[in-house]
């Protein structure tokens, strides 16, 4: 008696559910990933093993680039208009309301006082592309950071200021000295150094904050 041949059945797996899960995961990571924002002033900071995250509110940031040029910037909530107005009054700069408003909206300040008017006349978007000379700090008789720090303290009256210094690895000591001298002359000696974290375990809160652009700071 001949054997009955059982017809072969093709095996098929329904991948619909797996594809749905894959696309859901992909969508989740695309929507939740936060890329590190680009820096307006490129500075290669020294490394450290400090674990303190730099504050993000009420910040005055002094940046010293590799050429020793000094720049000032503030967090969004800082009283920038009050600072510019105080500087204008203290040094009798003759800035108009429109010029002070333009300077307060700019990403940073990096020119001598005599050039503030011309800086205010430029669109703020162009400032990072311009070759600015920085705030003069090397001449002890004309260290303009002293005037800036005086105005900053006036602007932050009644507000706890977080003073940060971010220096490039290649910048020279005289620029740092000029900045610190300006702090001393205004009795402002509590500040934090912004450094580049090293050895931070991936997945930790500090790692995530670092990747999102929240740099570390050391007092």
């Amino acid at each position: 008696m001949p054997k009955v041949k059982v017809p072969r059945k093709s095996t098929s797996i329904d991948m619909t559910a797996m594809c749905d899960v894959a696309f859901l995961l992909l969508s989740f990571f695309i929507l939740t990933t936060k890329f590190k924002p680009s820096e307006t002033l490129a500075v290669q900071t020294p490394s450290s093993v400090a674990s303190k995250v730099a504050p993000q509110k009420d910040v005055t940031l002094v940046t010293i680039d590799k050429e020793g040029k000094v720049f000032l910037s503030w967090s969004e909530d800082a009283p920038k208009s009050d600072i510019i107005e105080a500087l204008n009054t203290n040094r009798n700069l003759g800035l108009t309301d429109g010029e002070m408003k333009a300077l307060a909206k700019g990403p940073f300040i990096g020119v001598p006082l005599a050039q503030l008017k011309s800086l205010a006349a430029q669109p703020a978007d162009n400032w990072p592309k311009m070759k600015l000379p920085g705030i003069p700090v090397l001449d002890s008789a004309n260290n303009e950071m002293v005037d800036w720090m005086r105005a900053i303290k006036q602007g932050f009256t009644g507000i706890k200021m977080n003073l940060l210094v971010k220096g490039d690895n290649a910048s020279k000591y005289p620029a740092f000295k000029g900045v610190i001298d300006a702090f001393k002359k205004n009795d402002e000696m509590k500040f934090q150094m912004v450094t580049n974290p090293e050895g931070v375990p991936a997945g930790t809160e500090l790692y995530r904050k670092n990747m999102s652009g929240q740099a570390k700071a050391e007092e």
Side-chain angles (χ1 to χ4, degrees):
M1 182 177 178
K3 292 183 178 178
V4 177
K5 193 174 182 179
V6 178
R8 288 186 176 180
K9 292 183 179 179
S10 61
T11 56
S12 62
I13 301 175
D14 187 358
M15 299 290 290
T16 306
M18 188 176 293
C19 291
D20 288 345
V21 171
F23 278 111
L24 281 174
L25 287 173
L26 181 62
S27 301
F28 172 78
F29 287 117
I30 290 175
L31 294 174
T32 59
T33 298
K34 185 178 181 181
F35 295 97
K36 185 177 181 179
S38 59
E39 294 182 333
T40 308
L41 296 169
V43 170
Q44 184 63 45
T45 53
S47 299
S48 79
V49 293
S51 59
K52 185 176 181 180
V53 178
Q56 303 295 307
K57 294 183 177 180
D58 299 322
V59 169
T60 292
L61 175 63
V62 180
T63 302
I64 305 172
D65 72 4
K66 60 183 179 183
E67 298 175 1
K69 296 178 182 177
V70 178
F71 299 85
L72 271 170
S73 56
W74 295 271
S75 55
E76 287 299 322
D77 58 348
K80 290 187 282 186
S81 297
D82 294 338
I83 293 168
I84 302 293
E85 187 174 348
L87 181 77
N88 186 42
T89 302
N90 295 345
R91 289 298 303 263
N92 194 23
L93 298 175
L95 297 171
T96 64
D97 290 343
E99 290 168 338
M100 288 191 287
K101 191 176 294 184
L103 292 171
K105 286 183 178 178
F108 52 78
I109 299 291
V111 297
L113 298 180
Q115 297 181 23
L116 286 176
K117 276 182 171 288
S118 58
L119 181 66
Q122 300 293 326
D125 293 342
N126 289 347
W127 295 11
K129 306 171 190 173
M130 298 167 61
K131 190 172 179 60
L132 302 178
I135 298 171
V137 298
L138 299 180
D139 184 357
S140 59
N142 185 33
N143 184 345
E144 294 187 358
M145 269 300 293
V146 176
D147 298 298
W148 273 109
M149 284 308 302
R150 184 178 301 121
I152 289 168
K153 290 192 70 171
Q154 290 177 256
F156 272 93
T157 300
I159 305 171
K160 184 181 181 302
M161 174 178 61
N162 291 304
L163 181 58
L164 306 182
V165 177
K166 186 178 183 181
D168 193 282
N169 256 334
S171 59
K172 305 298 183 185
Y173 172 72
F176 277 95
K177 182 178 182 301
V179 171
I180 300 304
D181 286 346
F183 291 172
K184 287 181 180 177
K185 290 184 179 179
N186 285 282
D187 298 322
E188 190 66 44
M189 287 309 300
K190 188 173 182 180
F191 63 93
Q192 300 177 65
M193 291 292 298
V194 178
T195 58
N196 184 34
E198 65 178 14
V200 179
T204 62
E205 182 180 1
L206 182 58
Y207 178 86
R208 288 193 295 274
K209 288 182 176 179
N210 178 52
M211 293 304 293
S212 64
Q214 300 179 33
K216 291 192 333 179
E218 291 182 334
E219 290 189 17

